[in-house]
Amino acid sequence: MTDAEAGTGALLDQFLRLSADARRLRACATEDVVLDCALLILRDTLGYPSYCLLREASGDLRTLRASPDAPPVPSRTLLGWAVQQHAAVGAPLGVGRCWILAPLDAGGESFGVLAVVADGPESGLPRYRLQMIEHLASEAAWTLAQLRGRERMASLSDLFHHVLESVPHGLLALSRDDRIVACNRNFEFLFGLRRVDLLDAPYREALPKPLSELLDGLIASTLSGRQIVDQEFPLRTGDGPEVVVGFSTALLQGERGPEGILLLCRDLELSREVQKLRDLDVMKTEFVHTVSHELKTPLTAILGGTELLLADAAGLSSEQREVLGFIEEGGRRLQALITDLLDLSRLESGSAVMERVEVYLPDLVKEMLPVVAPINPRCAPSLDVAGPFPHLLLDREKMRQIVQNLLSNALKYSPEGGAVRIRLSARGAWASFEVSDQGIGILPEHLDRIWEKFYRVDSSTTASIEGTGLGLPIVKHLVELHGGRVEVESAPGAGSTFRVLLPIGHGAEPAPL
Ligand code: ADP
């Protein structure tokens, strides 16, 4: 039946039903339900059984919904034109049919296009038909915008909550009528209070007397325009010991002026203790650096002298040569330790400088193989480069150190002639350098600790293997300087795999491999 045959009354009836149905879309709780309901209205109320619903996402047209008999999607040019009209428009679609294209626009956001198949040429489409589809599309888009807004609000409120909880201070927010509107975990912890007892309560009733009296003064000063920064007060609440608390305050500024007061507080004694420990750590790093440096010069002289004597050892007895041999070997070990200590102190103090150049890691690894070979001469590490491997922006010397440390360990902690495998691969934003051995392996309880300074797994097997316990902490620092991370998998008796993940392209977004 045509519109003319149906008559004005039927059309009016249809329009009223559409308005009522479309308004009901607002009650839909998810985007999917909105889309499904809109299409039901289209089919059952308006009598358009053939449709598709499209979205342009990152330059691609995506069909969100389509009726089983929907014709092929309109071209992107046609859809782009329809979106720009900001109203429902007709467009040709083969003989005897046409499209009605209605953009799903609301609140400055475009959610896609509702494309409906109508009978007859587009030139014969009555204006009210376009308006009906437009009305439905605009109600659907409005609801979608509301849902998106709600979603954004929820994630904003989550973010606000996380920020509140992560502030390393106790935090208390008061409304203009002196009620507690927010507080964080640190505040609860600092004063031994529970949030459930505080929220929405007037602060004078909810907080212990000494604290609320203190706040009276702080609030009055803040309201009179004084800014309070880390003002110290000794405070004892309940049976706990007296603590010195530093308070800072600020007016909570709303759009129409102050809406309350924000108080930040921290245990100053604890902060001072932490600061003291930090200062001590810096002093220790400086001390290690100075001592190592002072040891280096005499040691170089000792080693140089020993080498000279050994080079011209004709007049020496075999015992004397043996002693000189011990001195040289001990000297070399000491030199390695001092070099590691100096490297680590530079890395810890943050004074290490990165000099990035383009490096082809497979070549660098090949260069390092002869350097480490003497550690386990019967072992020939295999190198496997999986697929095309990119050039990386690396500090060549630091990368050599990473490769040398991990390869040395694999050879050192493997039996004579044991298999060591090096694997290089690249996937997504990450390049991976992996060294696997079938050596002694590491018990799970040591796996976290091997990255600590001077930590060596203490066992009968490792006792005879030389080392300083500084190699892996240096590797970790160096890898992190490159913006990467290092991982280990190991099983005692079966071997270990150390994996270095490096970002491809300086500043590339980290992504899981
Ligand atoms: P070290 O100089 O002692 O090798 P590292 O910092 O390089 O110091 O390593 C710390 C400890 O981790 C080592 O003492 C060793 O117990 C363990 N370790 C490191 N690499 C391996 C490996 N490939 N196989 C087994 N144990 C390892």
Side-chain angles (χ1 to χ4, degrees), residues 340 405-414 435-437 439-442 446 449-459 462 465-475 488 490 495-498:
D340 279 357
N405 271 316
L406 294 181
L407 279 179
S408 307
N409 280 353
L411 295 170
K412 216 163 59 163
Y413 297 105
S414 288
V435 182
S436 307
D437 61 61
I440 59 173
I442 306 167
H446 298 293
R449 301 209 56 196
I450 54 175
W451 308 102
E452 289 172 16
K453 274 182 289 187
F454 300 111
Y455 191 82
R456 303 202 70 215
V457 176
D458 191 10
S459 74
T462 51
I465 303 172
E466 261 178 34
T468 59
L470 292 175
L472 289 181
I474 291 177
V475 166
V488 58
S490 189
S496 315
T497 296
F498 284 83

Side-chain angles (χ1 to χ4, degrees), residues 23 32 199 211 255 288 484:
R23 214 170 311 121
D32 274 343
L199 288 180
L211 180 58
E255 273 172 20
V288 170

